[in-house]
């Protein structure tokens, strides 16, 4: 049981932990890394790797979504991004990568002011579908009402509703909010929704019928949510809290399992290991995949928060290029900084600590061991 810390006489706060604050502990046995399984299942879809790509223009194009799908993960396309606003966004992606830092936010706001085109939503989804991989697309809660029909009719396999924070009960006096429970019930497509970072918020999202819950907000490399809104969720604690909600909802619902997906703060292979150890079934990677030579961001990384027309809560950041997508996922590693061979690192961590699959590894012992590796 954690005890609150006194911030002042009138306010107490719970101590929360990031992935850097914890470490996994070996058990009494070890295994061969080749005999470790890192696959998982969401709804009807078996996924070879516990990796979804974040729906960000610097990470996912239709081509990179297909490449990740063929590698065994799931690429989630941002259906509000440049690919659904422009027929050919390549020149704009090149321009964004070359912008002066002082000009970047303002120019990106201009570029992203072009309206979303439903015919381009259909075309991009069809491009991924034609490749034969699992098709996943994302909308923000604000745009879901407007575009969900186009997305579903185009044939997505997984529908992702992703925002800085998503609740099951949004209150608005100006417009009828998205009723998540009714929406998911009427939709014949599994829905992944988030972010959430607390037990209670996640439990309410699970009760809407979501197939998966995204955990985290404000913790990604391109977010400035903590400095702009004062909101932040240390990820080790957030994932563990939401995993507890999954366990209790499993009992409450009579056996319905909702997948927990860590979204934010998973920049290197050790973060991936610790996210699973805290209870995640999979991770959503942004910066880690933006470092691929094939990534549309050309060594830069940004999310939709970076070009919000009124209150940007993110920025374009330089993450560099670490290697190909193949090298980032499977190696070989040429550096020891956790940017290459993410899946190899996960396999070795599981093998070294004696666990054969992800479900077992979620039960591993962890210790609080704060340090700053980089």
């Amino acid at each position: 049981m954690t005890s609150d810390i006194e911030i002042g006489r009138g306010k107490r706060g719970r101590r929360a932990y990031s992935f850097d604050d914890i470490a996994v502990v070996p058990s009494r046995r070890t295994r061969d890394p080749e005999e470790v399984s890192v696959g998982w299942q969401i709804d009807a879809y078996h996924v070879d790797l516990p990796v979804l790509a974040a729906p960000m223009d610097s990470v996912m194009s239709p081509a990179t979504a297909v490449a990740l799908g063929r590698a065994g993960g799931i690429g989630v396309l941002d259906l509000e991004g440049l690919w659904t606003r422009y027929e050919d966004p390549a020149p704009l992606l090149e321009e964004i990568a070359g912008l002066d830092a002082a000009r970047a936010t303002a120019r990106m706001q201009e570029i992203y002011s072009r309206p979303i085109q439903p015919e381009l939503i259909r075309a991009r989804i069809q491009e991924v579908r034609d490749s034969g991989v699992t098709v996943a697309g994302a909308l923000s809660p604000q745009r879901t009402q407007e575009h969900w029909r186009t997305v579903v009719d185009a044939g997505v396999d997984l529908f992702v509703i992703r925002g800085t924070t998503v609740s099951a009960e949004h209150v608005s006096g100006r417009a009828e909010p998205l009723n998540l429970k009714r929406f998911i019930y009427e939709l014949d497509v599994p829905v992944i929704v988030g972010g959430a970072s607390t037990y209670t918020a996640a439990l309410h999202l699970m009760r809407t019928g979501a197939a998966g819950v995204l955990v985290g907000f404000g913790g990604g490399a391109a977010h400035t949510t903590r400095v702009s809104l004062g909101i932040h969720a240390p990820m080790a604690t957030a994932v563990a809290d939401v995993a507890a909600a999954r366990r209790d909802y499993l009992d409450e619902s009579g056996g319905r399992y909702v997948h927990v997906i860590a979204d934010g703060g998973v920049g290197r292979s050790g973060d991936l290991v610790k996210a699973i150890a805290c209870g995640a079934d999979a991770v959503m990677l942004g910066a880690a995949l933006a470092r691929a030579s094939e990534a549309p961001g050309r060594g830069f990384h940004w999310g939709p928060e970076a070009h919000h027309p009124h209150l940007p809560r993110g920025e374009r950041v330089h993450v560099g290029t670490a290697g190909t997508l193949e090298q980032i996922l499977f190696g070989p590693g040429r550096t020891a900084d956790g940017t290459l061979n993410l899946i190899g690192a996960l396999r070795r961590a599981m093998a070294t600590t004696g666990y054969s699959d992800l479900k077992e590894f979620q039960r591993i012992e962890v210790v609080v061991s704060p340090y700053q590796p980089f």
Side-chain angles (χ1 to χ4, degrees):
M1 181 176 178
T2 56
S3 57
D4 287 349
I5 298 170
E6 185 177 286
I7 297 167
R9 291 192 178 191
K11 181 68 70 173
R12 298 184 70 85
R14 183 165 67 113
R15 177 71 170 92
Y17 299 96
S18 71
F19 291 138
D20 279 346
D21 293 324
I22 67 166
V24 298
V25 179
S27 67
R28 61 183 176 85
R29 67 168 66 91
T30 56
R31 297 182 182 275
D32 187 323
E34 297 307 312
E35 296 175 3
V36 166
S37 170
V38 295
W40 63 300
Q41 179 96 12
I42 181 164
D43 202 80
Y45 304 99
H46 176 79
V47 191
D48 292 335
L49 309 178
V51 170
L52 295 86
M56 303 163 99
D57 280 340
S58 56
V59 180
M60 281 289 100
S61 65
T64 53
V66 170
L68 181 60
R70 288 176 173 163
I74 297 176
V76 185
L77 199 61
D78 179 8
L79 299 178
E80 301 175 29
L82 295 178
W83 296 93
T84 60
R85 297 173 191 259
Y86 296 89
E87 188 71 43
D88 179 16
L92 294 167
L93 288 162
E94 187 171 348
E95 179 188 350
I96 290 172
L99 288 171
D100 179 81
R103 169 78 174 132
T105 298
R107 176 58 183 144
M108 288 169 70
Q109 288 173 322
E110 295 171 356
I111 290 171
Y112 280 90
S113 66
R114 175 177 282 202
I116 297 165
Q117 301 180 48
E119 63 272 18
L120 286 178
I121 293 178
R122 288 188 285 269
R124 303 314 183 194
I125 290 173
Q126 188 62 47
E127 186 176 341
V128 179
R129 173 161 291 289
D130 287 347
S131 74
V133 303
T134 300
V135 184
L139 291 172
S140 65
Q142 297 81 3
R143 302 269 193 179
T144 297
Q145 294 271 42
E146 182 180 358
H147 296 295
W148 73 267
R149 175 64 68 186
T150 301
V151 174
V152 173
D153 288 351
V156 289
D157 299 312
L158 294 171
F159 192 118
V160 178
I161 302 176
R162 184 178 187 257
T164 301
T165 177
V166 177
S167 70
E169 183 181 348
H170 177 69
V171 179
S172 173
R174 294 184 295 118
E176 182 182 357
L178 175 67
N179 184 321
L180 267 178
K181 189 167 187 175
R182 186 176 66 200
F183 175 78
I184 292 173
Y185 177 79
E186 294 175 353
L187 209 61
D188 193 27
V189 174
V191 176
I192 298 171
V193 62
S197 67
T198 65
Y199 172 94
T200 301
L203 188 59
H204 281 286
L205 288 178
M206 291 172 186
R207 288 170 177 162
T208 67
V213 172
L214 299 171
V215 183
F217 49 80
H223 287 238
T224 59
T225 308
R226 182 167 185 165
V227 296
S228 58
L229 297 185
I231 295 173
H232 178 61
M235 284 296 289
T237 296
V239 171
D241 283 348
V242 175
R246 174 188 61 203
R247 176 200 63 211
D248 292 348
Y249 180 69
L250 189 69
D251 291 338
E252 173 190 304
S253 63
R256 185 172 182 273
Y257 189 93
V258 179
H259 292 85
V260 173
I261 301 164
D263 179 14
V266 189
R268 299 175 189 270
S269 56
D271 302 320
L272 166 57
V273 170
K274 289 183 273 191
I276 303 294
C278 286
D281 297 289
V283 298
M284 180 169 272
L285 299 180
L289 298 182
R291 298 188 186 105
S293 55
E294 303 95 323
R298 296 163 170 78
F300 286 87
H301 180 46
W302 66 92
E305 302 84 6
H307 50 76
H308 190 281
H310 306 299
L311 183 63
R313 302 180 302 282
E315 57 191 352
R316 186 204 61 168
V317 296
H318 184 255
V319 295
T321 299
T324 65
L325 180 63
E326 176 83 10
Q327 290 172 322
I328 285 172
L329 291 174
F330 306 114
R334 304 298 186 193
T335 62
D337 60 0
T339 59
L340 297 174
N341 201 359
L342 272 63
I343 301 304
L346 175 61
R347 286 184 178 277
R348 185 163 294 275
M350 292 171 65
T352 301
T353 54
Y355 294 87
S356 61
D357 61 41
L358 298 178
K359 284 279 170 236
E360 283 190 1
F361 193 61
Q362 290 172 347
R363 299 195 294 270
I364 191 173
E365 180 184 352
V366 300
V367 293
V368 177
S369 176
Y371 80 124
Q372 294 297 324
F374 301 103

